Amino acid sequence: MAAFGSERWLNDLPNHAIFQKIRENLDREPHGNERGVAKNLTFCLGGDLFVWDDSDRVFYTTNLRHLNADENLSNVSGKHQTLLCINPPRFELCQVLLSPTQHHVALVGLRGVSVLELPQRWGKRSEFEGGRSEINCKTIPVAERFFTSSPSVILRQAAWYPGETDEPHLVLLTSDNTVRFYGLKSPQTPAKVLSVSQSEDDTSSHPPVRSYAASLGEIAVAFDFGSISASPRHLAAQFSKDQLVYPLYILYENGETYVSYTSQAKGVSLTKPMGPLPMYPAAEDNYGYDACAILCLPCVPSILVIATETGTLYHCVVLESEEEEETRAVEKWIRGAEAVPALYVFECVELELTLKVATGEDEDPQDFDFTCPIRLHRDPLCQQRYHCTHEAGVHSVGLIWVNKLQKFLQSGEEDMDNLQELAAEKRCIVEHILCTRPLQSSQSAPVLGFVIVSDLSLGATMICITSTYECILLPLLSSIRPPSPPLLCTHPGPGSGSSPLRGLADDSFEQHIRNILARSSTNPLVLKAGDKDKSPPPPECLQLLSRATQVFREEYILKQDMAREEMQRRVKLLTSQKNKQLEELTLCREERKSLTEAAERLADKYEDAKYCQETIMNKVKKVLGNLQSRLPILSNSEKDMKKEVQTISDQLRHLDNCIKQVNMKMDYQKTQVDKDVPAARTKVSLNAQQKKVVQDVLREQGQQIGDMMKQIKDIKSHFSF
């Protein structure tokens, strides 16, 4: 596939038939002027995008990879499947949640929950039920009897239990300060009920008491599960030593956070909520009120993000606290019984929900008290990043200090360098991605869908669906994503020629320029909220234009000028260093030339000295030999040589006697043979084989005799006998 083909779906998806059909249904419905709430009616499963149509109570799904297919395929950009609910929900949906096993989808509303079971896949393209256009899906109502019998109770949050191997369970937090666990096998009966009321007597079910608790902010508004871990030591009576548990963080409207530990090893088991968790450093207002959402990032250590309706985000590091501090912070009904972790607030972030504009040339931006609920979304591609959706748009937040924090916690207690680096580390990066309500006077236009495409073959892309079901595709900020680990082949060995000074400089010049160009505020993609045919008044347009111009001037042009001046200074410095190095290089070349000539002269002198040394050594050897020969006594070597010569002389004398004896015996044998031969010899006839054998024997004996004679001659000539 060509490179441009992988981006074809980015152009085809906004004009897909799914959104055209939903917009047609939206135009037929009457529009109210009530204030909207941010929803999330879409999710992505692999390369499949699912969008919920609240008018027809159906799911529309299309495969994003098929949009990158060949253009010759018929009607690829408009092909989709419709998932029909056998028992459609009768309440308005505000969120859809995919289960951890990716087989069920929770349809969540304020007045109920239903679970849709995804159909099977088969066929060439692995589509649902072979690619049928409309598919009936099993729908299971959850807690339907409870919501029908409790008309005053609303659902505040729903989530899937994070276990992937056990039976899927839905966790529901209702306005009566109760957390209920429902299994799909018995969806009407809760498997476990946990009361999260802060009052000592559990009487929060009565409306007067509930309204009194709400006025004090003692109403649980959100919860989230933390990363799986071993059970704490103080819970050994409830959980076994090797049992894994999930911490359940419960957030109250007054900003307090409680924790309960859950496990699904032998059915759903829970502990009583412990808290409130102490927050450090302490604040008089307990870090604000109107808390609305909580998110636990899957980092080590865990990081809790607490959001308020005023747009304030608190990044809290979950660590173990000291025993004295724990016992002071724990409530009276659990005081001294269990230990609770502590929340260390690392930073506080203020989101710009609506754009802050100036009313005049010399006036400061107006400070509006605009508040709205905020939804927090994890990023499936980066653990250190999360996203916020609300009535006025979308923000993206990246925690770039997590790596320095982990490095500091892994180092020793006396390592102050990492502590200074952590203190000097710049704060998180906040990107204002999308603005659907530029001004407070603008009409409400909440985000209805938000999803991150986790399929890397399609690219890291953010999909946002506006209140008019306009699909907006935006790339993710890549600078927040942690760098990939280096390859093994790139690690320098002990003999590497790299400069040791490079290891001392952690931050490169490129990173320095990035820090200069880092923006504290951005110009988001501004959408015209409300009626498309109605233009905003000219004063608002002027305010938005002035604000955008100011941001471009302060955050772009000025910082680019600063970066340009910094690069010019860098170029000037590098140029001077280059000229200095060129001069030093010229001197080094001249010195190398002089050293080469000196080395040649030394080599000639060495050859002459070596020749003279050999001559003198030969003369010394000759003198020593003459001196040794003139000594009156024999040396040890001469004595050994004399003994060896005498031994050889004795051996030669013995050999001479042996030869004489052999000659005498040979003459005697000839005499005896001549006597035995008759006068008339008989002729002996031999065949060819016998002749050849006799010749070989005679030749061999002749050679032996010749060798012996030669040895005797050599010995005689050597010793001059």
Side-chain angles (χ1 to χ4, degrees):
M1 184 179 294
F4 62 87
S6 61
E7 300 179 357
R8 186 179 303 152
W9 72 277
L10 299 175
N11 300 324
D12 294 343
L13 185 61
N15 302 321
H16 201 277
I18 290 177
F19 301 103
Q20 296 178 3
K21 184 180 296 186
I22 298 178
R23 282 194 290 266
E24 292 176 359
N25 296 335
L26 191 65
D27 294 337
R28 292 195 296 265
E29 293 183 356
H31 298 279
N33 296 326
E34 68 276 0
R35 182 174 177 179
V37 180
K39 301 179 180 180
N40 189 14
L41 303 180
T42 182
F43 69 93
C44 194
L45 176 58
D48 294 322
L49 177 66
F50 294 78
V51 181
W52 173 262
D53 185 0
D54 213 17
S55 300
D56 295 339
R57 307 289 178 174
V58 296
F59 259 122
Y60 296 120
T61 176
T62 184
N63 191 282
L64 302 180
R65 297 193 192 97
H66 296 169
L67 298 180
N68 282 333
D70 192 358
E71 294 180 354
N72 297 328
L73 294 177
S74 60
N75 197 19
V76 172
S77 61
K79 185 177 180 181
H80 64 277
Q81 292 180 282
T82 305
L83 304 184
L84 305 174
C85 298
I86 297 179
N87 185 10
R90 291 184 291 273
F91 48 84
E92 182 181 358
L93 264 64
C94 61
Q95 189 180 13
V96 292
L97 299 172
L98 180 65
S99 67
T101 58
Q102 299 182 351
H103 294 155
H104 301 85
V105 180
L107 311 177
V108 183
L110 295 178
R111 289 292 302 157
V113 181
S114 294
V115 175
L116 181 142
E117 184 176 350
L118 294 177
Q120 298 292 327
R121 297 175 182 266
W122 63 74
K124 181 179 180 181
R125 294 179 174 269
S126 185
E127 296 176 327
F128 291 112
E129 294 192 359
R132 293 173 53 188
S133 59
E134 294 185 355
I135 305 171
N136 288 323
C137 299
K138 180 181 178 182
T139 309
I140 307 172
V142 178
E144 184 178 18
R145 188 182 304 114
F146 169 75
F147 285 103
T148 303
S149 59
S150 305
S152 62
V153 176
I154 62 173
L155 179 63
R156 294 191 178 274
Q157 185 179 349
W160 288 99
Y161 191 85
E164 298 182 1
T165 58
D166 301 318
E167 177 189 357
H169 279 76
L170 266 176
V171 185
L172 307 182
L173 172 62
T174 53
S175 59
D176 58 350
N177 269 2
T178 306
V179 177
R180 294 174 175 86
F181 290 73
Y182 287 91
L184 298 184
K185 294 182 179 179
S186 56
Q188 302 303 327
T189 304
K192 204 71 175 179
V193 178
L194 176 65
S195 176
V196 294
S197 176
Q198 293 185 6
S199 59
E200 296 183 3
D201 52 343
D202 191 9
T203 59
S204 60
S205 59
H206 301 288
V209 179
R210 189 162 61 245
S211 61
Y212 177 73
S215 64
L216 296 178
E218 297 179 355
I219 297 295
V221 294
F223 68 91
D224 193 23
F225 288 95
S227 302
I228 190 170
S229 60
S231 60
R233 289 175 295 177
H234 62 272
L235 299 178
Q238 301 184 29
F239 301 106
S240 60
K241 183 178 180 180
D242 299 333
Q243 189 172 352
L244 300 178
V245 296
Y246 288 96
L248 176 62
Y249 298 100
I250 305 170
L251 177 67
Y252 290 82
E253 191 177 4
N254 57 9
E256 295 180 348
T257 306
Y258 284 67
V259 64
S260 174
Y261 295 94
T262 67
S263 177
Q264 204 178 2
K266 299 178 181 179
V268 179
S269 56
L270 295 168
T271 63
K272 197 173 183 179
M274 298 176 291
L277 304 185
M279 300 181 70
Y280 302 103
E284 295 181 358
D285 59 347
N286 197 24
Y287 294 95
Y289 292 91
D290 296 330
C292 60
I294 187 172
L295 178 66
C296 182
L297 298 180
C299 303
V300 179
S302 299
I303 297 176
L304 283 184
V305 181
I306 300 176
T308 63
E309 294 185 358
T310 58
T312 306
L313 301 176
Y314 298 102
H315 297 154
C316 308
V317 182
V318 182
L319 297 174
E320 295 182 358
S321 61
E322 299 180 0
E323 295 181 359
E324 296 180 358
E325 298 172 348
E326 291 169 356
T327 55
R328 295 174 186 171
V330 178
E331 287 293 331
K332 182 176 63 176
W333 50 279
I334 58 169
R335 183 169 297 170
E338 297 92 358
V340 295
L343 303 182
Y344 294 85
V345 182
F346 191 86
E347 63 181 346
C348 174
V349 180
E350 292 284 345
L351 296 182
E352 188 180 11
L353 299 180
T354 57
L355 301 182
K356 297 179 180 179
V357 296
T359 57
E361 295 181 356
D362 300 331
E363 298 181 9
D364 296 331
Q366 296 180 357
D367 188 10
F368 296 120
D369 294 332
F370 177 77
T371 61
C372 65
I374 298 176
R375 289 183 177 270
L376 302 179
H377 306 265
R378 290 187 180 89
D379 194 314
L381 300 178
C382 180
Q383 295 181 352
Q384 304 171 3
R385 177 173 54 196
Y386 66 94
H387 309 275
C388 310
T389 60
H390 44 82
E391 180 185 344
V394 179
H395 286 78
S396 180
V397 183
L399 308 182
I400 58 178
W401 45 266
V402 174
N403 292 330
K404 293 290 181 66
L405 176 63
Q406 294 175 349
K407 183 179 179 181
F408 168 70
L409 294 177
Q410 292 174 0
S411 61
E413 296 181 357
E414 299 180 357
D415 191 358
M416 301 302 297
D417 295 336
N418 292 333
L419 181 59
Q420 295 177 358
E421 292 180 2
L422 183 62
E425 181 68 26
K426 67 177 183 179
R427 300 313 183 191
C428 64
I429 297 178
V430 180
E431 285 284 307
H432 198 169
I433 304 296
L434 181 64
C435 181
T436 59
R437 188 173 182 176
L439 302 174
Q440 188 179 10
S441 58
S442 302
Q443 187 176 352
S444 178
V447 177
L448 297 183
F450 177 85
V451 66
I452 300 296
V453 179
S454 59
D455 192 348
L456 295 180
S457 62
L458 299 172
T461 308
M462 175 190 302
I463 300 178
C464 299
I465 299 177
T466 63
S467 59
T468 58
Y469 281 90
E470 179 182 358
C471 182
I472 300 176
L473 305 177
L474 298 172
L476 290 177
L477 187 62
S478 59
S479 60
I480 301 177
R481 189 181 308 171
S484 300
L487 300 176
L488 295 177
C489 59
T490 60
H491 285 285
S496 176
S498 61
S499 173
L501 297 178
R502 292 184 179 272
L504 300 178
D506 295 335
D507 296 334
S508 61
F509 180 72
E510 179 182 357
Q511 184 62 34
H512 179 58
I513 296 297
R514 290 181 183 272
N515 295 336
I516 294 177
L517 296 176
R519 300 184 295 271
S520 58
S521 62
T522 58
N523 277 326
L525 178 63
V526 179
L527 298 181
K528 184 171 60 176
D531 191 1
K532 294 184 178 180
D533 299 332
K534 182 180 179 181
S535 300
E540 292 186 3
C541 294
L542 180 59
Q543 290 177 356
L544 294 177
L545 179 60
S546 301
R547 192 263 184 190
T549 304
Q550 182 181 2
V551 171
F552 280 126
R553 182 183 296 111
E554 296 177 355
E555 299 294 335
Y556 290 83
I557 299 177
L558 293 180
K559 292 188 176 182
Q560 288 177 1
D561 292 340
M562 293 174 58
R564 182 188 61 187
E565 294 175 359
E566 187 69 22
M567 287 189 289
Q568 288 176 353
R569 286 195 295 268
R570 181 75 172 181
V571 169
K572 184 178 179 180
L573 176 62
L574 293 177
T575 303
S576 61
Q577 291 181 355
K578 178 183 177 182
N579 296 332
K580 180 64 177 178
Q581 290 177 356
L582 289 176
E583 294 176 359
E584 293 179 354
L585 183 61
T586 303
L587 295 176
C588 290
R589 288 176 178 174
E590 295 178 356
E591 187 176 357
R592 185 182 65 178
K593 184 178 180 180
S594 61
L595 291 176
T596 303
E597 295 175 355
E600 292 178 355
R601 292 193 300 269
L602 291 177
D604 295 338
K605 292 181 180 181
Y606 172 75
E607 293 294 336
D608 296 341
K610 184 178 179 181
Y611 176 75
C612 294
Q613 182 183 7
E614 291 179 353
T615 304
I616 294 173
M617 289 295 297
N618 292 331
K619 290 181 180 180
V620 170
K621 289 181 181 180
K622 187 175 181 181
V623 170
L624 292 176
N626 294 332
L627 180 62
Q628 186 70 23
S629 62
R630 295 177 182 273
L631 291 176
I633 58 176
L634 297 177
S635 63
N636 295 331
S637 299
E638 291 176 343
K639 292 179 181 180
D640 294 338
M641 186 65 182
K642 180 180 179 182
K643 291 180 181 180
E644 185 177 357
V645 170
Q646 291 177 354
T647 303
I648 294 175
S649 177
D650 297 339
Q651 291 178 355
L652 290 175
R653 192 179 300 107
H654 177 69
L655 289 175
D656 190 20
N657 296 331
C658 292
I659 291 172
K660 289 180 180 180
Q661 292 178 2
V662 171
N663 291 331
M664 292 175 61
K665 289 181 180 180
M666 184 177 64
D667 295 338
Y668 177 77
Q669 293 294 335
K670 287 181 179 180
T671 304
Q672 295 297 326
V673 169
D674 293 339
K675 290 180 180 180
D676 294 337
V677 174
R681 291 184 177 179
T682 58
K683 187 176 181 180
V684 180
S685 59
L686 300 175
N687 54 18
Q689 183 66 24
Q690 292 175 344
K691 290 180 180 181
K692 184 177 180 180
V693 172
V694 172
Q695 291 175 358
D696 294 339
V697 172
L698 293 177
R699 188 181 299 108
E700 183 179 358
Q701 291 180 354
Q703 290 179 355
Q704 293 178 356
I705 294 172
D707 294 339
M708 293 176 64
M709 296 297 294
K710 186 177 180 180
Q711 291 178 0
I712 293 172
K713 290 180 180 180
D714 293 339
I715 292 173
K716 288 182 178 181
S717 63
H718 182 72
F719 294 100
S720 300
F721 286 162

